[in-house]
Amino acid sequence: DDDPPDRYGSSRTMTVPMAGRQERTLRRPIEASGVGIHTGAHCGVCIEPAAAGTGISFTDGRSAFALSPDRLVDGCRCTALGADGWTVMTVEHLLAALLGMGIDNATVQVDGPEIPILDGSARDWARLLRGAGVVSQNRRAEEIWLEEPVAVTSGNSCAVAVPDTCLRLTCVTDYDHPLLGVQAATRKIGRGVFERDLAPARTFAMHHEVQALLDAGLARGGDLGNALIVFEDRFSDALRVPQECLMHKMLDLLGDLAVLGVRLRAHVTAVRPGHAVNARLVGRLAAASAGNRPG
């Protein structure tokens, strides 16, 4: 149940019901609050169970929208969604947790301009979702299968999705830094892998970038409690998981893929991943499957 099966079952690029897999929602609501890492504003979130077939939706009590790629807006170093003049920033860690923990339907009530950063990772979201419990619903979950590769570039970043029997992510990072250098890892995404390897990985910044972020009006809520700072010869804290910075990039990639609004069976490889190239890939995947949904 924790990890998707490795088996082939489709030869078309289309959205289809998942074999043997019912949609899921939370058993009970969860709440969290804290600072928004970019705005520094106090932000709160209440995540409630939702009916089968409704997907993930966001509301501030006045406006509401369902999660989909056409809700992406420019977030500047984060993933942001918006509609009707309302934007919510920094959704990627929460979305990664919902996808990683197997939640298909939920209503996210947001109080503030951002999703709270909490400790800079998705660990607290995973704990809250696990504590709330998960219930199966009377509807087969949908997913996107690929027939052929989809590839995109953005600046010096690139990403490609190829057919696979589950969701598998490969990330390659390349930093001109003695502690990081070139790193690469592959993970088959399931709840166990998510909680162990991805969820604990914190957002990070190079020490020399911090002032530039502040000058740009960003990271106003950042501190050593919600971000890992990479100095020339050390990290600001002990690493929670091996290759924590790389694992955080994979966490962000998972959260950005969640914007598709349905599950994906593909092996996604991202080289120098970032929100811009991730969003471009999501747009291409959505376009590739839009005309092939069963009617």
Side-chain angles (χ1 to χ4, degrees):
D1 182 62
D2 284 352
D3 295 298
D6 263 325
R7 64 176 182 269
Y8 286 93
S10 174
S11 60
R12 301 173 60 195
T13 305
M14 63 187 302
T15 303
V16 297
M18 292 178 69
R21 162 77 160 80
Q22 302 299 110
E23 288 187 347
R24 298 168 179 161
T25 191
L26 288 76
R27 187 175 298 277
R28 61 176 178 82
I30 61 173
E31 295 183 359
S33 61
V35 68
I37 193 168
H38 288 303
T39 63
H42 181 80
C43 305
V45 168
C46 177
I47 306 173
E48 298 184 336
T54 57
I56 308 298
S57 62
F58 288 80
T59 180
D60 66 349
R62 298 178 300 275
S63 299
F65 59 83
L67 179 65
S68 68
D70 61 4
R71 298 305 184 189
L72 280 168
V73 298
D74 183 13
C76 190
R77 292 187 70 112
C78 72
T79 300
L81 305 169
D84 301 324
W86 173 55
T87 298
V88 56
M89 299 168 57
T90 324
V91 299
E92 57 269 26
H93 302 167
L94 173 56
L95 290 180
L98 290 168
L99 179 55
M101 299 297 286
I103 303 297
D104 300 285
N105 302 303
T107 300
V108 182
Q109 298 187 21
V110 183
D111 179 15
E114 288 187 77
I115 301 298
I117 194 62
L118 304 181
D119 72 347
S121 74
R123 185 173 66 178
D124 289 341
W125 293 120
R127 287 173 174 171
L128 287 167
L129 292 169
R130 182 167 16 92
V134 177
V135 294
S136 294
Q137 298 174 289
N138 190 27
R139 187 177 192 271
R140 289 288 178 88
E142 292 185 341
E143 60 184 0
I144 292 174
W145 290 80
L146 297 181
E147 181 184 33
E148 57 188 17
V150 174
V152 297
T153 61
S154 179
N156 68 347
S157 302
C158 63
V160 59
V162 301
D164 204 333
T165 59
C166 61
L167 178 56
R168 201 182 311 270
L169 302 183
T170 294
C171 281
V172 182
T173 56
D174 182 6
Y175 292 100
D176 183 17
H177 192 283
L179 294 182
L180 299 179
V182 177
Q183 296 182 340
T186 299
R187 294 291 186 274
K188 176 185 172 185
I189 302 301
R191 191 172 67 181
V193 168
F194 176 76
E195 289 193 85
R196 184 188 71 229
D197 295 345
L198 274 63
R202 292 161 289 182
T203 192
F204 66 95
M206 304 298 177
H207 180 252
H208 68 271
E209 293 180 328
V210 173
Q211 189 58 52
L213 289 171
L214 294 172
D215 290 344
L218 300 172
R220 283 181 270 183
D223 58 38
L224 294 179
N226 57 35
L228 184 69
I229 305 302
V230 185
F231 294 92
E232 190 68 18
D233 59 348
R234 62 185 175 87
F235 297 100
S236 59
D237 192 13
L239 298 185
R240 291 178 175 176
V241 293
Q243 298 181 310
E244 184 170 354
C245 296
L246 175 65
M247 289 296 103
H248 187 79
K249 286 292 188 178
M250 192 175 291
L251 174 71
D252 281 350
L253 174 60
L254 181 65
D256 290 344
L257 290 172
V259 175
L260 283 166
V262 294
R263 292 179 176 267
L264 172 69
R265 290 203 186 196
H267 185 172
V268 178
T269 298
V271 179
R272 300 185 185 92
H275 294 302
V277 73
N278 296 350
R280 185 165 292 184
L281 179 64
V282 165
R284 285 288 303 276
L285 289 169
S289 66
N292 294 295
R293 295 173 183 262

